[in-house]
């Protein structure tokens, strides 16, 4: 025996157990995980890190001058206050806003991944509080992950979650796919993460099995790392943001050669008659042939033709990564990927057709559990107003101004108070200097946080929240058989409290404690959430553990329904009896609905729409600002695994040797990335694994402005969102376009500024108070 008292727990980066040895937390992945996630190792160092928020804090300007717009937000001092004081202050402020402006002036979108665990899920907690206690709030819709696809897919194919989760399974890829055209790849760093926590990471093994069987993977991406080595992929580099043109070139080649599946198109699709003239150039005089595509995407025309003509007769899977739609006109590659798959005629066959977002997260491509733990009831929102999630700065900066979204003419609300728990807009949003300006115009920003993120540093009221490791919960995902009893691994840090406790105390002060708690403590809530799983299993005649047995055992195992190919396979077998949930019941190559909106940035069929941001003399390089490999978004950036991946304490930017040489940049040197919006420092890795003309800087390094008082300060740590553009994908979806922008890069020759992102603000001043 190792002498460690192991306790079961779960996280978005995997199910695990942990225990203490010689004063250190030791973490080990679930025994059935074939490919555990290194991100788990951020936890031990993070638990007691100085970056944690240890006591309630109020911004000095807000405390002294009261609520209201304030240009010092983000550059002010903080004053430590007791829990009773801060809760009284906040309850009073919530009541003031409710009374003076109404709850439609509260923004509670509170987007963010927060932690695994069905009960303490911070977004559910904040929404339940705002609904049941305050009476409602302005919400946000869709996600930063799938901003464009979640809106366009229901028009053309079906619900995004259903499509990405269950139609193409990894099992089917391993057993049936002959060619996988992976637009944007399927990087393991993405599938290592799954909301709710999974006990098995199967993606690497599945791709290895497919490759060993002889499946051909074609990685279409500016970054070699977007498929694992085990896939033995051919790497086809293309200019970032031009996948739609390449898809059109492949489609044109197939159609011109008469190799498209006309029978499939006629039986299962609508709108070919409107799209084909565009593809062939009849409607606009420009055939979208391989030569045309080559001039846009940089892939030689011969290569496009050879690839296209190698596909017919094979079981071909077209996959499109989330990242492609996180860019201007991001709807188009999603749509055109589906049309290309339709042209190849394999939608609905095992391991063939369209795998939207396969591998974008760990819970895609899996079988579904037969029974599920319940989610926390969020109550009813009396406010109908919402924004597409990535329009937050626009909302705060332009109250009362009109905008368009998915066929609707909408108006931005006038927001006075913003409440955030479990998210980090200074990580996830674009053009951070614009976001700072936006937050400076409101009356009050409230943030519950584990750590002093940049969002916490812009808040007026900062409430220290426990980390998942400091509380009990139930971990489960609808697509992983293991339901986990998440047991506390440590005492709360400092005065940190659970979000549930904080909201319960506020509810009591606002006279609505029962409406929020229903008289239950945490353990009673866990029993309530577990009960539907127990009942469903019993109804199905399956052996099931009682809650107490489950808690004692540490986990329960739920059987899964076998892979049937999901709704696309059912549609293929019986298109009349199992129609798609689209207006026509078929695959919409042309959408009357979308065409009816009259958007030039998202017309009625997929099209190549040139981006407005292209490399120029001032900003000659494409920047890919993608997901990081050593942390989940910005979470636990101060943890050991994330810190070990940095160089000279800064985020690592990959640059091709040709571009590095042209700028006199050496491997390991600190560089400055800049464009018209902002600048940041990073450390260069010179590598041929990124194509020439492109640099890559992942998201998630905590925003660390050199001088927080300036309007447009440089981030010294390497947060690419100071550079990215804050515009919607199109008027259809208004999704986040943070993945791509253009920059210049130069060697940084000045004195290296220190990194202060992980040092709490005004630490010395606080100690003196
Ligand atoms: P996280 O870093 O996960 O990022 O954005 P998101 O806001 O989800 O933030 C979660 C925060 O919740 C952390 O600060 C963590 O400390 C806090 N937290 C964790 N647990 C708890 C808890 O129990 N209670 C409370 N109160 N807080 C908690 C992610 C978003 O970023 C996403 S999903 C995507 S896909 C986008 N991707 C990109 C991109 O590709 N490129 C760019 N440029 N930008 C992006 N931004 C988006």
């Amino acid at each position: 025996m190792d002498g460690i008292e192991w306790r079961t727990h779960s996280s978005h980066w995997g199910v695990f157990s942990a225990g203490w040895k010689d004063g250190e937390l030791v973490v080990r992945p679930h025994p059935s995980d074939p490919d555990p996630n290194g991100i788990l190792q951020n936890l031990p160092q993070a638990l007691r890190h100085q970056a944690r928020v240890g006591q309630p804090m109020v911004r000095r300007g807000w405390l002294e001058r009261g609520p209201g717009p304030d240009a010092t937000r983000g550059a002010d001092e903080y004053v430590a206050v007791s829990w009773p004081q801060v809760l009284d202050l906040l309850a009073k402020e919530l009541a003031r806003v409710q009374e003076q402006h109404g709850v439609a002036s509260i923004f509670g979108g509170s987007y963010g991944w927060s932690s695994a665990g069905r009960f303490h899920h911070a977004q559910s907690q904040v929404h339940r509080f705002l609904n049941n206690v305050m009476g409602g709030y302005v919400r946000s819709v869709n996600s930063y992950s799938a901003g464009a696809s979640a809106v366009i897919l229901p028009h053309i194919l079906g619900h995004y979650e259903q499509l990405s989760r269950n139609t193409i399974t990894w099992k089917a890829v391993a057993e049936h796919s002959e060619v996988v055209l992976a637009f944007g790849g399927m990087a393991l760093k993405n599938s290592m993460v799954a909301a709710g926590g999974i006990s098995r990471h199967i993606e690497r093994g599945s791709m290895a099995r497919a490759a060993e069987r002889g499946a051909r993977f074609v990685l279409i991406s500016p970054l070699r790392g977007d498929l694992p080595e085990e896939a033995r992929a051919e790497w086809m580099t293309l200019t970032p943001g031009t996948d739609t043109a390449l898809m059109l070139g492949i489609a044109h080649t197939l159609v011109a050669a008469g190799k498209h599946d006309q029978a499939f198109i006629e039986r299962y699709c609508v709108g070919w008659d409107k799209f084909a003239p565009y593809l062939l150039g009849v409607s606009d005089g420009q055939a979208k042939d391989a030569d045309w595509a080559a001039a846009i995407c940089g892939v030689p025309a011969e290569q496009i033709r050879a690839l296209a003509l190698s596909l017919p007769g094979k079981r071909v899977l077209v996959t499109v990564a989330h990242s492609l739609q996180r860019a201007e006109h991001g709807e188009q590659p999603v749509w055109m990927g589906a049309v290309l798959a339709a042209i190849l005629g394999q939608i609905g066959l095992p391991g063939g057709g369209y795998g939207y977002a396969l591998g974008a997260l760990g819970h895609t491509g899996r079988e579904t559990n037969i029974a599920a733990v319940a989610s926390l009831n969020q109550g009813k929102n009396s406010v109908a107003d919402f924004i597409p999630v990535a329009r937050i700065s626009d909302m705060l900066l332009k109250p009362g101004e009109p905008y368009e979204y998915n066929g609707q003419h909408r108006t931005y609300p006038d927001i006075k108070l913003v409440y955030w728990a479990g998210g980090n807009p200074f990580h996830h949003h674009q053009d951070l200097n614009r976001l700072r300006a936006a937050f400076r115009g409101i009356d009050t920003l409230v943030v519950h946080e584990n750590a002093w993120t940049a969002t916490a540093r812009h808040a007026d009221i900062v409430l220290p929240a426990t980390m998942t490791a400091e509380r009990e919960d139930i971990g489960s995902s609808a697509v992983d058989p293991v339901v986990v009893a998440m047991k506390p691994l440590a005492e709360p840090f400092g005065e940190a409290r659970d979000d549930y406790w904080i909201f319960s105390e506020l509810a009591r002060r606002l006279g609505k404690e029962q409406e929020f708690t229903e008289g239950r403590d945490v353990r009673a809530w866990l029993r309530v959430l577990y009960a539907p799983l127990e009942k469903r299993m019993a109804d199905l005649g399956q052996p099931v553990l009682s809650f107490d047995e489950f808690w004692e055992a540490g986990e329960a195992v739920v059987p899964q329904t076998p892979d049937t190919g999901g709704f696309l396979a059912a549609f293929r077998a019986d298109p009349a009896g199992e129609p798609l949930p689209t207006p026509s019941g078929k695959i919409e190559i042309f959408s009357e609905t979308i065409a009816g909106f009259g958007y030039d940035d998202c017309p009625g069929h997929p099209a190549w729409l040139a981006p407005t941001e292209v490399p120029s003399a001032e900003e000659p390089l494409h920047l890919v600002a993608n997901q990081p490999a050593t942390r989940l978004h910005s979470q636990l950036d101060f943890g050991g695994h994330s810190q070990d991946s940095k160089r000279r304490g800064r985020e690592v930017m990959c640059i091709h040797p040709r571009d590095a040489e042209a700028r006199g940049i050496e491997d390991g040197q600190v560089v400055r990335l800049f464009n018209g919006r902002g600048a940041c420092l990073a450390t260069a890795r010179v590598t041929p694994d990124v194509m020439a003309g492109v640099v890559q800087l992942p998201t998630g390094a905590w925003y660390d402005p050199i001088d927080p008082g300036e309007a447009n300060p440089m981030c010294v740590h390497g947060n690419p969102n100071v550079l990215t553009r804050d515009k919607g994908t199109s008027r259809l979806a208004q999704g986040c376009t943070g993945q791509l922008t253009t920059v210049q890069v130069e060697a940084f020759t000045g004195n290296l500024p220190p990194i202060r992102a992980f040092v709490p603000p005004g630490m010395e001043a606080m100690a003196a108070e």
Side-chain angles (χ1 to χ4, degrees):
M1 292 301 279
D2 51 20
I4 298 178
E5 188 200 329
W6 293 101
R7 288 166 162 247
T8 47
H9 210 78
S10 189
S11 66
H12 295 315
W13 35 97
V15 179
F16 65 98
S17 297
W20 291 88
K21 187 169 190 188
D22 303 330
E24 299 283 325
L25 188 76
V26 188
V27 170
R28 69 174 185 200
H30 193 273
S32 44
D33 197 336
D35 191 16
N37 188 347
I39 299 182
L40 281 174
Q41 300 308 333
N42 275 325
L43 199 57
Q45 201 176 318
L47 261 181
R48 297 284 172 267
H49 196 279
Q50 65 162 356
R52 295 288 308 273
V53 186
Q55 57 197 128
M57 293 280 181
V58 181
R59 189 172 65 76
R60 186 178 291 285
W62 193 92
L63 201 58
E64 291 174 356
R65 296 188 290 278
D70 193 336
T72 70
R73 214 169 251 134
D76 203 355
E77 291 176 4
Y78 283 86
V79 179
V81 292
S82 69
W83 270 114
Q85 273 176 305
V86 82
L87 292 165
D88 287 349
L89 263 178
L90 178 52
K92 198 169 139 223
E93 172 60 358
L94 287 166
R96 179 193 74 86
V97 173
Q98 186 183 38
E99 196 183 306
Q100 288 182 7
H101 305 286
V103 291
S105 70
I106 297 176
F107 181 67
S110 189
Y111 181 81
W113 264 67
S114 85
S115 298
R118 302 304 290 234
F119 176 64
H120 290 290
H121 180 240
Q123 261 196 55
S124 306
Q125 293 283 344
V126 68
H127 293 162
R128 180 178 168 86
F129 170 77
L130 292 174
N131 285 335
N132 290 10
V133 178
M134 299 301 295
Y137 62 96
V138 173
R139 67 203 157 96
S140 59
V141 296
N142 311 327
S143 66
Y144 278 79
S145 303
S149 54
V151 178
I152 193 159
L153 283 169
H155 288 294
I156 62 163
L157 207 53
H159 190 269
Y160 140 73
E161 290 276 354
Q162 275 175 312
L163 185 72
S164 62
R165 292 214 176 176
N166 311 113
T167 50
I168 301 288
T169 58
W170 283 110
K171 190 164 171 281
V173 173
E175 291 174 6
H176 300 285
S177 306
E178 288 179 87
V179 183
V180 180
L181 289 189
F183 289 92
M186 296 182 281
L188 292 183
K189 67 180 170 55
N190 299 333
S191 52
M192 278 288 171
V193 167
I198 48 173
S199 61
R200 299 153 170 79
H201 293 90
I202 57 171
E203 294 74 9
R204 189 195 306 271
S206 304
M207 285 190 250
R209 272 170 64 205
E212 277 156 21
R213 188 178 41 77
R216 173 188 177 202
F217 285 83
V218 183
L219 166 62
I220 301 157
S221 170
L223 311 176
R224 192 197 298 268
D226 278 343
L227 271 185
E229 273 177 25
E230 288 80 356
R232 302 179 199 169
E234 297 157 34
W235 183 28
M236 184 178 259
T237 58
L238 90 172
T239 304
T242 63
D243 297 77
T244 306
L246 175 59
M247 291 171 184
L248 283 162
I250 296 172
H252 185 282
T253 306
L254 289 166
V255 174
K259 302 268 187 193
H260 59 300
D261 192 334
Q262 189 67 34
F264 181 92
I265 293 169
E266 281 169 19
R267 186 150 192 236
Y268 297 104
C269 305
V270 292
W272 179 249
D273 55 328
K274 301 222 173 51
F275 174 73
Y278 167 77
L279 183 70
L280 301 173
V282 177
S283 56
D284 63 358
Q286 174 62 65
K288 311 303 172 302
D289 59 17
D291 295 293
W292 168 86
I296 295 170
C297 69
V299 180
E302 270 322 303
Q303 220 180 320
I304 299 175
R305 275 191 275 269
L307 176 63
L309 297 175
S310 72
L311 301 175
K314 304 245 167 54
R315 182 63 53 86
V316 183
L317 177 64
V318 176
T319 68
V320 170
H322 266 342
S323 55
L324 269 51
Q325 49 90 66
R326 222 172 283 136
E328 189 178 14
H329 308 132
E331 296 82 1
Q332 302 310 313
V334 177
W335 201 348
M336 190 54 214
V339 172
L340 179 58
I343 286 173
L344 289 162
Q346 311 227 325
I347 292 177
L349 293 176
Y354 191 39
Y356 177 69
L358 182 67
L361 288 164
H363 42 52
T364 62
R366 287 163 188 257
E367 290 161 351
T368 310
N369 296 357
I370 61 166
V373 174
S375 309
L376 181 67
N377 185 327
Q378 299 185 7
K380 203 166 158 14
N381 193 345
S382 69
V383 178
D385 208 357
F386 66 83
I387 56 160
V389 68
R391 299 280 49 82
I392 179 159
S393 293
D394 283 350
M395 171 184 74
L396 297 178
L397 291 167
K398 305 181 195 175
E401 284 196 26
Y403 69 98
E404 290 182 79
Y405 165 71
N406 202 14
Q408 303 167 29
H409 295 273
R410 305 187 59 83
T411 306
Y412 287 118
D414 190 359
I415 296 300
K416 302 293 178 197
L417 183 143
V418 175
Y419 209 126
W420 225 289
N424 185 3
F426 277 88
H427 153 67
H428 65 231
H429 197 58
Q430 287 60 62
D431 198 350
L432 294 182
N433 292 317
R434 186 166 187 258
L435 183 69
R436 301 181 93 206
F439 275 130
R440 286 177 170 172
I442 60 173
D443 285 1
T444 301
L445 172 59
V446 188
V447 171
H448 294 195
E449 249 302 346
N450 313 149
W452 277 108
T453 61
T455 304
R457 287 166 200 263
H458 286 77
D460 301 305
I461 297 182
V462 184
L463 301 179
T466 48
M467 273 172 54
T468 162
E470 296 159 347
R471 58 198 184 210
E472 59 182 32
D473 211 327
I474 300 178
S476 87
S477 153
V479 291
D480 188 89
V482 177
V483 179
V484 189
M486 295 169 64
K487 303 192 176 164
L489 309 174
E491 289 297 315
F493 178 78
E495 294 177 25
R497 296 284 181 275
D498 297 351
D499 296 294
Y500 180 66
W501 180 89
I502 301 171
F503 287 127
S504 305
E505 286 294 314
L506 285 171
R508 187 159 63 77
R509 283 166 171 78
L510 292 163
K512 298 235 171 144
E513 185 179 10
Q514 181 64 21
E515 284 84 340
F516 184 71
T517 65
E518 295 179 34
R520 295 192 182 102
D521 63 8
V522 172
R523 184 61 74 87
W525 273 111
L526 298 190
R527 288 179 188 279
V528 167
L529 299 189
Y530 186 80
L533 176 122
E534 204 177 336
K535 180 170 183 320
R536 176 86 182 129
M537 292 275 278
D539 289 350
L540 293 170
Q542 294 285 337
V544 60
L545 301 180
S546 69
F547 178 84
D548 291 320
E549 289 166 339
F550 155 67
W551 200 258
E552 176 65 29
E555 68 175 51
V557 177
V558 182
Q560 299 192 296
T561 46
D563 175 15
T564 57
F567 74 100
L568 290 181
F571 168 65
R572 185 177 185 108
D574 181 8
E578 298 282 346
L580 296 182
T582 58
S584 61
K586 295 188 173 186
I587 299 165
E588 302 225 348
I589 294 176
F590 180 90
S591 161
E592 295 286 354
T593 311
I594 296 176
F597 298 156
Y599 298 150
D600 54 0
D601 52 4
C602 189
H605 59 69
W608 167 248
L609 305 171
T612 44
E613 266 194 4
V614 288
S616 61
E618 295 76 32
E619 297 170 12
L621 297 168
H622 290 275
L623 169 67
V624 177
N626 58 356
Q627 306 297 341
T630 56
R631 58 188 169 258
L632 165 61
H633 305 306
S634 69
Q635 292 198 32
L636 309 190
D637 188 25
F638 48 97
H641 189 59
S642 181
Q643 287 303 306
D644 289 349
S645 72
K646 307 220 174 176
R647 288 172 126 188
R648 305 176 75 179
R650 276 155 243 270
E651 196 49 59
V652 174
M653 178 209 71
C654 291
I655 185 167
H656 189 272
R658 191 200 75 181
D659 296 320
E661 195 186 340
R663 291 164 176 78
I665 294 169
E666 287 177 14
D667 192 71
Q669 193 167 5
V670 174
V671 293
R672 189 174 81 102
L673 292 84
F674 58 99
N675 65 15
R677 279 183 284 271
C680 70
L681 299 184
T683 305
R685 171 175 292 136
V686 180
T687 168
D689 288 346
V690 51
M691 74 182 273
V694 177
V695 292
Q696 177 254 341
L697 179 65
T699 55
W702 284 14
Y703 174 62
D704 192 348
I706 189 161
D707 175 358
E710 271 180 42
N712 197 1
M714 176 172 79
C715 168
V716 303
H717 189 198
N719 184 328
N721 274 331
V722 294
L723 304 161
T724 51
R725 93 196 248 285
D726 183 14
K727 292 264 167 55
T729 49
S730 77
R731 283 183 284 167
L732 184 87
Q734 297 282 8
C736 152
T737 57
Q739 186 78 185
L740 298 179
T741 189
T742 53
V743 292
Q744 179 56 292
V745 178
E746 64 183 14
F748 182 73
T749 49
N751 288 334
L752 271 183
I755 290 156
R756 292 168 304 193
F758 308 121
V759 181
M763 221 175 166
E764 303 80 353
M766 275 157 43
E769 294 232 14

